[in-house]
Amino acid sequence: MSEVEAVAGDQLKSFVERIERLEEEKKTIADDIKDVYAEAKGNGFDTKVLRKVISLRKQDQNERAEQDAVLDLYMQALGMA
């Protein structure tokens, strides 16, 4: 094996190991989030609504206002407003 191949192999191995560590961290975080939702549910909170609140808080205020306006327009068109 040439020196270039060895270096490329080492670099590839490093990338794979980093990705594997990050995937494990991602799984741990996902499990932690699941536990928090379960705790919230145990305390009487509606997790479906809680997830919606989290989603809305991630959005830009202008984007959220635009979506709300479109939703209102659609609901009016369907006679739901």
Side-chain angles (χ1 to χ4, degrees):
M1 184 182 321
S2 75
E3 186 176 324
V4 172
E5 290 173 332
V7 170
D10 289 343
Q11 189 177 32
L12 178 59
K13 182 179 178 183
S14 174
F15 285 134
V16 169
E17 290 171 349
R18 286 170 51 198
I19 291 168
E20 288 172 341
R21 273 194 312 274
L22 291 169
E23 288 290 343
E24 184 59 36
E25 289 175 21
K26 184 168 74 170
K27 182 187 178 310
T28 301
I29 290 170
D31 289 343
D32 291 347
I33 291 170
K34 181 180 173 185
D35 291 344
V36 173
Y37 278 114
E39 183 180 346
K41 184 176 184 177
N43 283 299
F45 292 97
D46 184 325
T47 56
K48 187 175 180 181
V49 175
L50 186 57
R51 288 179 191 278
K52 182 65 176 177
V53 169
I54 299 298
S55 173
L56 289 171
R57 286 175 54 107
K58 288 180 185 179
Q59 289 181 348
D60 175 66
Q61 187 176 6
N62 292 331
E63 180 184 347
R64 188 169 61 230
E66 183 179 323
Q67 286 182 358
D68 287 344
V70 173
L71 177 62
D72 288 342
L73 178 65
Y74 288 4
M75 290 180 70
Q76 287 176 10
L78 295 171
M80 299 173 65

